[in-house]
Amino acid sequence: MTKPTGDAGVDTVEGGYRDKWSWDQVTFGTHCLNCLASCPYRVYVKDGEVIFEEPAALFEQVNPNVPDMNPMACQKGSAWSQQLDGPDRLKYPMRRVGERGEGKWERISWDEALQEVAESIVEAIDMEGPESVVFEETVEGGLLTQAAYLRFASLIGAVTLDAQGLINDFPAGHHITFGKFSCASSQDDTFNAEVILIWHSNPAYTSIPYAHFITEARYNGSSVVTIAPDYSASAVISDQYLPIKAGTDAAFALAMCQVMVEENIFNRDFVISQTDLPLLVNTSTRRFLRGNDLDEDSPEDQFYWWDTDSDAMVEAPRVSLQVEGVSPALEGTWTVKILDGSEIEVTTVWELMKTRLQDYTPELAEPICGVNPDSIRQLARQIAEKRTKIVEGFNTPKYFHGDLMERAMILVLALSGNWGRKGTGIQGLALAGLDGYQIFGMKQERGVNETARIMDGIDGAMDQLREMSPDSTEEMLGTELLLRGIAAGTASPPAFFHYYHCGYEETWNNAAWQDPAMKRPFDDYLQDAVRRGWWGGLVKPGPGTDPTVFISVATNPIRRQRGGSAGLLETLWPKLEKIVVVENRMSSTALQADIV
């Protein structure tokens, strides 16, 4: 390229380029949209408009032996400065003037939009009741957006569809195993792992701000293994790639468990003190032996060990499984007398597990999962010997029996003792609890004083639970409080909404598509669960209440929901008097709305 001559040429080329990278102000920002990293950015402003942004990279190193969190950014966040004023950005409210889906709109003011939506809500509450107003959202709306509409919905008694039930990011296997979820360490702890299993995830794509800890751990000597049907971007940064048949992860995990048990390389002390494997089970019913099986005054959550020192059955501690003064047996079968005077045979969970694992030797698992038996044994031995962490994404919850896949993955960690230490655990993510944005939704006024009032109320509720159950731990009390809060709140599992109002009843009762192990039609199970009160207070809106106002907040159910374009448009849409979409672009659902 020939350098321009003369002042005019310099002003045109060099001056223009320099002007492009000049600004009036630099401030900070982040992107609270479908990303929970909330990475800090430097935002550059010129003439009142954002012209570009860059990672701030301002985190100090927490541990001198662990890399820092920087740069904490990705191209998706950096693109926001372009999306703010992009050609598809919605910048003002619009009202439908043609038929739904016809694409004819008129621009209206914010006052007009809010007035029309408010009137439709008031009319719906008057005619059908507050449960006829239904909010749907996903994490794409950002935490503050969620908090704002949750607060509004709670004040008017509207229904909010549980986001985890809509997008299936909830790791049910974690919750079934531990009674909670999201209980692993912070992201930088990945650096402490000696073996990193990238399993049902692709962090090089989906966890970009934190993926550097995986490569840094690898440089530090860790072994990284990707387990996936496809050779992903994360497989590129791994030491080993194990191709596995889709949906067969449970067989693969159980085969590794079988190797650990068969070769006696499991962590016996961890298994005895930190798992339920030594607890006694009635061999005929395959249920835990419980306190009220032996004594009507004993609590149902009292379980038992067989002590090898005294050769007798002893109570396992209810608050903690800490082993003190006893030696719980893992193997054996015994006879005990129960409340009605009869004798039953009991054994340990370990014995049942060991028998089940015989169906999953590496040779038997290979035809199921497609992984070579030598590879299964090699990885099992590696996990049993070294600190191991599983980096899991949101893929397993979307599988039928994904909970069993997760439980098998967790069993691998349990047998190897890879929990509760640095560089161990299963790194998933899901939100729940009473702090952060959920407290925001509970506030009736602005300010710190209102937050303090809510926190005092939570403390008071905890005190009451503590008096009712003095043997419970703080964690157990917190879980109980959370469950009560959910039952008393406005959130509802979307399954009932879909079943009663969105056309899914016929689909879910199609015998050809059901699990062959089901002995009765789907509807029998659903109605039985409702009748028994298992979903008490959560069947909203019920079959007797037609939804009238549907408000979609930063989500796109017609595109995302299975069969959405058919089931929703044909079954739900005709029932709705008002459809409101809160969105920053004209999505598939927004095209079918009344107010955007």
Side-chain angles (χ1 to χ4, degrees):
M1 177 179 177
T2 304
K3 182 178 180 180
T5 58
D7 292 341
V10 172
D11 290 342
T12 301
V13 179
E14 293 185 8
Y17 186 79
R18 290 189 179 113
D19 286 344
K20 179 181 179 181
W21 299 105
S22 63
W23 52 85
D24 304 328
Q25 182 184 6
V26 183
T27 184
F28 284 97
T30 189
H31 313 99
C32 296
L33 200 83
N34 199 20
C35 181
L36 302 173
S38 298
C39 303
Y41 274 76
R42 287 190 175 90
V43 181
Y44 294 80
V45 179
K46 185 177 183 178
D47 297 329
E49 294 184 1
V50 175
I51 53 175
F52 63 92
E53 51 191 316
E54 66 179 8
L58 47 71
F59 289 100
E60 297 181 0
Q61 193 168 6
V62 177
N63 185 330
N65 299 316
V66 177
D68 58 47
M69 286 280 186
N70 297 307
M72 281 286 285
C74 74
Q75 77 277 33
K76 301 172 185 64
S78 300
W80 261 89
S81 56
Q82 305 301 314
Q83 296 174 6
L84 282 172
D85 296 298
D88 60 347
R89 172 71 188 268
L90 292 174
K91 300 179 181 179
Y92 44 78
M94 293 192 294
R95 176 169 52 208
R96 172 179 61 84
V97 294
E99 297 295 321
R100 285 177 180 168
E102 192 176 357
K104 294 182 179 179
W105 303 91
E106 65 176 350
R107 178 176 177 176
I108 58 176
S109 69
W110 283 102
D111 285 344
E112 287 179 286
L114 296 175
Q115 180 73 20
E116 186 168 328
V117 173
E119 288 176 353
S120 66
I121 291 175
V122 170
E123 183 177 353
I125 293 174
D126 184 49
M127 299 296 293
E128 285 282 339
E131 290 184 6
S132 67
V133 180
V134 179
F135 286 82
E136 176 168 332
E137 57 82 35
T138 69
V139 293
E140 293 177 6
L143 301 187
L144 291 179
T145 304
Q146 293 176 22
Y149 95 82
L150 283 170
R151 176 180 177 184
F152 176 68
S154 67
L155 291 173
I156 65 173
V159 172
T160 57
L161 301 180
D162 175 47
Q164 299 298 348
L166 292 166
I167 61 178
N168 296 324
D169 280 356
F170 176 69
H174 297 204
H175 197 272
I176 292 170
T177 304
F178 300 114
K180 58 180 181 177
F181 51 95
S182 291
C183 43
S185 53
S186 60
Q187 294 283 353
D188 56 348
D189 180 58
T190 304
F191 183 77
N192 295 311
E194 296 174 304
V195 177
I196 300 171
L197 304 181
I198 300 176
W199 203 345
H200 271 282
S201 64
N202 187 9
Y205 267 18
T206 63
S207 187
I208 294 172
Y210 304 124
H212 65 91
F213 289 116
I214 296 175
T215 53
E216 288 161 345
R218 190 177 172 208
Y219 278 118
N220 196 43
S222 300
S223 176
V224 181
V225 181
T226 290
I227 304 162
D230 60 321
Y231 191 77
S232 66
S234 297
V236 176
I237 62 173
S238 301
D239 298 287
Q240 185 180 14
Y241 165 60
L242 293 178
I244 187 172
K245 294 179 183 178
T248 64
D249 305 80
F252 173 66
L254 293 175
M256 289 196 290
C257 293
Q258 195 277 336
V259 172
M260 293 181 193
V261 174
E262 180 69 22
E263 298 185 1
N264 197 29
I265 55 175
F266 66 92
N267 189 323
R268 181 176 289 271
D269 290 340
F270 186 91
V271 165
I272 289 176
S273 66
Q274 297 300 316
T275 77
D276 63 359
L277 293 171
L279 296 181
L280 298 181
V281 177
N282 184 331
T283 58
S284 61
T285 63
R286 300 177 71 87
R287 291 174 58 85
F288 284 118
L289 184 66
R290 297 174 176 270
N292 56 1
D293 292 331
L294 307 176
D295 183 350
E296 60 183 11
D297 295 327
S298 184
E300 185 182 14
D301 60 350
Q302 176 63 64
F303 302 104
Y304 296 90
W305 289 327
W306 193 271
D307 178 25
T308 58
D309 292 339
S310 61
D311 194 28
M313 185 175 65
V314 297
E315 293 183 349
R318 294 173 59 222
V319 175
S320 167
L321 289 180
Q322 188 65 40
V323 179
E324 294 180 351
V326 294
S327 298
L330 281 180
E331 299 172 332
T333 301
W334 306 272
T335 300
V336 299
K337 183 177 291 187
I338 60 174
L339 184 62
D340 63 7
S342 63
E343 292 186 339
I344 62 170
E345 184 181 71
V346 296
T347 188
T348 61
V349 179
W350 174 272
E351 287 279 23
L352 300 182
M353 178 202 69
K354 190 171 66 170
T355 301
R356 187 76 174 99
L357 290 180
Q358 292 309 306
D359 294 334
Y360 293 97
T361 64
E363 285 71 23
L364 292 175
E366 181 187 19
I368 302 174
C369 64
V371 181
N372 185 279
D374 291 340
S375 297
I376 294 175
R377 287 191 169 89
Q378 178 265 334
L379 185 57
R381 293 162 183 163
Q382 198 175 6
I383 294 170
E385 181 183 348
K386 298 182 177 181
R387 293 192 306 274
T388 300
K389 169 167 283 188
I390 297 175
V391 178
E392 185 196 11
F394 295 149
N395 200 38
T396 34
K398 296 169 177 62
Y399 272 88
F400 183 51
H401 289 325
D403 58 329
L404 299 182
M405 296 181 195
E406 291 176 343
R407 294 177 72 183
M409 294 159 70
I410 293 169
L411 183 59
V412 171
L413 300 179
L415 292 179
S416 57
N418 275 300
W419 198 270
R421 297 181 294 145
K422 290 184 177 180
T424 66
I426 185 165
Q427 191 80 58
L429 177 65
L431 289 173
L434 291 169
D435 49 4
Y437 74 104
Q438 290 197 347
I439 282 183
F440 184 90
M442 297 164 66
K443 294 178 70 171
Q444 306 296 312
E445 299 177 1
R446 295 179 179 181
V448 176
N449 291 337
E450 177 68 359
T451 302
R453 183 188 69 80
I454 293 172
M455 294 300 295
D456 289 342
I458 293 173
D459 290 342
M462 288 285 284
D463 289 339
Q464 292 180 357
L465 291 175
R466 199 174 290 112
E467 291 178 3
M468 295 168 57
S469 181
D471 293 337
S472 296
T473 64
E474 293 297 297
E475 185 177 34
M476 294 160 68
L477 295 173
T479 300
E480 176 63 25
L481 182 61
L482 178 61
L483 292 173
R484 294 188 180 197
I486 291 171
T490 61
S492 175
F496 298 109
F497 177 63
H498 294 160
Y499 191 73
Y500 293 127
H501 305 292
C502 299
Y504 281 68
E505 182 175 1
E506 182 178 350
T507 301
W508 291 353
N509 281 291
N510 188 329
W513 297 346
Q514 292 178 356
D515 188 327
M518 290 174 58
K519 299 178 181 179
R520 294 182 289 161
F522 175 84
D523 188 72
D524 284 1
Y525 292 103
L526 184 141
Q527 300 304 334
D528 192 38
V530 173
R531 185 171 56 254
R532 292 170 181 265
W534 295 344
W535 295 95
L538 297 176
V539 185
K540 299 179 292 190
T545 302
D546 275 339
T548 304
V549 176
F550 182 70
I551 303 178
S552 170
V553 183
T555 185
N556 192 4
I558 285 180
R559 180 182 182 275
R560 189 205 69 249
Q561 191 166 305
R562 291 144 183 85
S565 59
L568 295 184
L569 292 180
E570 295 175 9
T571 308
L572 175 64
W573 249 235
K575 301 178 181 180
L576 299 171
E577 297 292 333
K578 189 70 67 179
I579 301 165
V580 183
V581 171
V582 182
E583 183 58 280
N584 54 29
R585 59 188 177 84
M586 189 59 76
S587 65
S588 304
T589 305
L591 286 169
Q592 301 290 341
D594 302 317
I595 297 284
V596 181

